[in-house]
Structure formats: C-alpha cells, structure tokens
Amino acid sequence: MPRHYRPHSLLTFAQAAEVLGLSRWTVRDLADDCRFPTYVLPGCPRKIRRIRYSDVLAFKAQIAASESLGSRRCESV
C-alpha cells in the first residue's frame, strides 16, 4: 500500500522510487541528470539529498502523459 505524504515533504531516494515504481538507483540517476531538483539537508557533514514529494508527483504525471501520447501515436499509425 503506497504511503501518503504532504506536498512539501522531503523524500529519500528510496521513498521517491516507491512512489514512482522505479529503483532507488534509477531515481538517483534521474536526480543527477537534473530531471527534478534535490535539496541538501542543512547541518550534515555529508551531502544528504532529498526530493520534494510534489516534484515526484509532477514527474510521475509527465511519465503518464508521455505514455498516453505514445499510445495515441501507435493507434493513429
């Protein structure tokens, strides 16, 4: 059962991966490619990055939109 987060919640890569249905390594690669912004937690000696839940949902909507466009293209051919 998927968890529900507030739009401003900061998620780990694993949590974002769960929402998107991807691996955490894929999410990390997407973040490294600037597909969505990450936020570094302040006051931590290591650069621990988080992703805003609203950004994850927006990315998920883009994926859904591109999939629906792709299926329409196939039907019109």
Side-chain angles (χ1 to χ4, degrees), residues 13-77:
F13 289 121
Q15 290 168 325
E18 181 182 341
V19 172
L20 295 170
L22 303 170
S23 75
R24 67 181 177 150
W25 302 111
T26 301
V27 172
R28 183 178 304 264
D29 290 342
L30 290 169
D32 289 345
D33 291 341
C34 300
R35 297 297 296 260
F36 35 73
T38 58
Y39 302 89
V40 178
L41 296 181
C44 190
R46 297 180 344 192
K47 287 188 175 182
I48 297 178
R49 298 184 296 166
R50 297 289 186 258
I51 303 167
R52 189 177 304 171
Y53 181 57
S54 58
D55 294 332
V56 172
L57 291 179
F59 185 77
K60 188 174 183 176
Q62 286 178 348
I63 292 171
S66 67
E67 287 175 351
S68 67
L69 278 176
S71 65
R72 279 192 233 144
R73 287 184 193 146
C74 291
E75 291 172 3
S76 64
V77 172

